[in-house]
Amino acid sequence: MVTGNFNSLAFFRAYYHIPASRKLAWALIVEQAQGLQKVRLGVVFCQQPHVYIDVAMRRFFTEATIGNGMLSRRVFPARRIARQDEYLYVTDNGLSAAFSKSYIRDIYFTAVYSPELMRQVLY
């Protein structure tokens, strides 16, 4: 697998074997559980925006509310704005979150083989 640019939708397409016919976009996920709210980075399927990849959890989820609101996940497609050391993701409803430019690499680097991986100390 080519790991060149972790900060691209092409990386997610290759990593998860998503066909080219499925258009992808960045998204912010608002997850509420037990009274706590988290904003997470996601990749959403444009044709089916309720299905998304949670970047940090490295898996697919479906937008849902479960158990009378005990767990809620809402998906908001976002545009990405590059800054010096981070990417800012902004949704149409004004939600925003910033993640460092190394955020995705930090998560996926040790999950994808590359010659560079073999030269690293892995904790």
Side-chain angles (χ1 to χ4, degrees):
M1 170 186 289
V2 177
T3 58
N5 183 2
F6 288 95
N7 287 319
S8 70
L9 294 172
F11 167 76
F12 288 95
R13 184 175 305 285
Y15 186 86
Y16 290 101
H17 306 283
I18 300 168
S21 61
R22 296 287 191 172
K23 188 176 178 191
L24 301 175
W26 298 108
L28 291 178
I29 314 306
V30 176
E31 182 178 273
Q32 294 182 319
Q34 300 176 351
L36 301 174
Q37 178 175 298
K38 292 182 182 178
V39 177
R40 306 176 68 85
L41 180 60
V43 175
V44 67
F45 289 90
C46 294
Q47 298 94 332
Q48 295 173 304
H50 60 280
V51 177
Y52 67 93
I53 298 165
D54 183 306
V55 170
M57 295 186 79
R58 297 190 316 200
R59 61 163 286 192
F60 292 90
F61 284 98
T62 301
E63 180 178 52
T65 299
I66 302 166
N68 289 334
M70 292 197 54
L71 172 64
S72 171
R73 293 186 185 110
R74 295 181 51 206
V75 180
F76 300 94
R79 63 188 179 283
R80 182 171 76 174
I81 302 166
R83 293 183 169 174
Q84 184 174 348
D85 296 324
E86 65 186 12
Y87 289 111
L88 177 66
Y89 298 85
V90 181
T91 67
D92 286 344
N93 69 349
L95 180 66
S96 66
F99 296 88
S100 73
K101 287 190 174 179
S102 67
Y103 180 74
I104 297 170
R105 183 187 186 282
D106 292 345
I107 295 166
Y108 286 86
F109 177 74
T110 58
V112 178
Y113 174 81
S114 70
E116 184 182 347
L117 175 74
M118 303 311 288
R119 296 186 291 271
Q120 300 292 313
V121 176
L122 307 173
Y123 299 99

